Amino acid sequence: MSFCDDTLLCNFPKCRTKLSGFAWVTACSHVFCDQHGSGEFSRSPAICPACSSALSGKLDIVRTELSPSEEYKAMILAGLRPDVVLDISARALAFWSYQVHQEHMYQEYSLSRAEAQLKQMEKVLTQQNQSREVELTGMRGEIASLKKVMEEYKRKYSEVSEKLMERNRQYQKLQALYDSLRLRNMVVDVGERDSLHQATHHSFITACHPGVPRQETPHGSPPFLSAGHDGESRFFSCVEHDGAKNFFQFSSPARERGRSFMKKH
């Protein structure tokens, strides 16, 4: 606020509003708005909210109109000697000058406080930036180390994949070899069974007819299964040679029961 400003500010610490209408003026050169003046100066003893001075005199607190009428201006100093008028004016100007100086001091105090807060915030910001830079450097180092580890894992994964593919190729070769050997063994087993079957029939025919040479059918069937009367006679002659009598004299259960009944009676 400059000296030429025509508006004062309320000296209440938490108010600081521009004065208009009525104001409360104190003997300690402070001024307050009508709201805070009415509230603060209604109690006794009255204490100045700005400097905590005791205001016990009858004229230590005055409620004045900031924009008086023309009649008030014409009559307030009428009849006073010039020296009294000058003294009143000098004191009024001194009050105004003190308010301007006080506002200037308050603004400087606010500025210095804001600068101190700004320096403190800059200091804190610098510390935070330094700590963040240290953390960022550490994280960059961790990222670099993790990239190296990832590259190592990729290399190992590639090696393992190649080994696995090689093992799969070997396994497929072994599986193909196993299948071929298994198929070959199955063919050999079938041939051996056929040879053993033919040898068994040959031994049987040779035992029945030692002097008869072996005859094979087109499908490799046994000689005694060939069609014709000669085949049947040879089969039954072989049976008689080994004991046809016993072969055709098997006892049935009914016949055995009949014999046991006849022996009892």
Side-chain angles (χ1 to χ4, degrees):
M1 184 179 66
S2 65
F3 186 79
C4 297
D5 291 338
D6 56 355
T7 304
L8 297 177
L9 300 178
C10 178
N11 295 160
F12 195 80
K14 295 182 180 180
C15 183
R16 306 294 299 170
T17 59
K18 292 183 177 182
L19 300 177
S20 61
F22 290 90
W24 292 78
V25 181
T26 63
C28 56
S29 300
H30 292 108
V31 62
F32 301 94
C33 63
D34 195 24
Q35 178 183 358
H36 288 98
S38 300
E40 293 294 329
F41 301 135
S42 60
R43 59 178 74 96
S44 180
I47 303 297
C48 178
C51 62
S52 301
S53 300
L55 303 173
S56 59
K58 183 179 180 181
L59 296 177
D60 287 348
I61 303 171
V62 176
R63 184 173 182 266
T64 183
E65 187 177 2
L66 297 179
S67 299
S69 61
E70 294 298 328
E71 292 80 5
Y72 179 83
K73 294 179 183 179
M75 299 300 296
I76 189 63
L77 296 178
L80 299 179
R81 297 193 309 272
D83 57 339
V84 176
V85 173
L86 292 176
D87 185 37
I88 294 173
S89 300
R91 294 189 182 194
L93 292 174
F95 178 86
W96 189 271
S97 177
Y98 174 78
Q99 284 293 316
V100 171
H101 177 72
Q102 180 179 255
E103 183 64 24
H104 179 72
M105 295 296 294
Y106 179 80
Q107 294 296 335
E108 287 183 352
Y109 168 76
S110 299
L111 180 60
S112 62
R113 185 176 179 182
E115 289 178 350
Q117 292 179 353
L118 179 61
K119 290 181 179 179
Q120 184 66 23
M121 293 178 65
E122 288 179 350
K123 183 178 179 181
V124 173
L125 181 62
T126 303
Q127 293 177 354
Q128 290 181 352
N129 289 336
Q130 291 177 354
S131 62
R132 295 296 183 274
E133 188 67 26
V134 172
E135 292 178 0
L136 184 60
T137 303
M139 292 178 67
R140 287 174 179 172
E142 291 180 0
I143 291 173
S145 62
L146 289 175
K147 284 183 178 180
K148 292 181 181 179
V149 173
M150 186 176 65
E151 293 295 332
E152 183 67 20
Y153 279 132
K154 285 183 178 180
R155 185 183 61 80
K156 291 182 179 180
Y157 173 76
S158 178
E159 294 177 357
V160 171
S161 299
E162 292 178 358
K163 291 181 180 180
L164 180 61
M165 293 176 63
E166 183 65 24
R167 294 293 176 85
N168 287 333
R169 287 193 292 268
Q170 294 178 2
Y171 171 76
Q172 291 176 1
K173 290 180 181 179
L174 291 175
Q175 186 67 31
L177 181 61
Y178 169 75
D179 293 338
S180 63
L181 292 176
R182 183 169 174 269
L183 181 61
R184 184 181 301 174
N185 289 333
M186 291 174 63
V187 172
V188 171
D189 290 341
V190 171
E192 289 179 354
R193 284 198 298 270
D194 292 341
S195 300
L196 180 61
H197 183 69
Q198 293 177 3
T200 303
H201 286 296
H202 177 69
S203 299
F204 180 76
I205 297 300
T206 304
C208 293
H209 302 284
V212 178
R214 180 182 179 185
Q215 296 180 358
E216 296 182 356
T217 61
H219 296 285
S221 61
F224 62 86
L225 294 180
S226 61
H229 178 72
D230 295 338
E232 293 178 357
S233 63
R234 287 197 298 270
F235 174 74
F236 287 107
S237 64
C238 177
V239 172
E240 292 176 357
H241 184 270
D242 289 339
K245 184 178 180 179
N246 296 329
F247 180 81
F248 289 102
Q249 290 181 358
F250 289 117
S251 298
S252 63
R255 187 176 180 181
E256 291 294 333
R257 287 196 299 271
R259 287 181 180 180
S260 62
F261 179 79
M262 291 177 63
K263 287 181 181 181
K264 289 180 180 180
H265 293 84

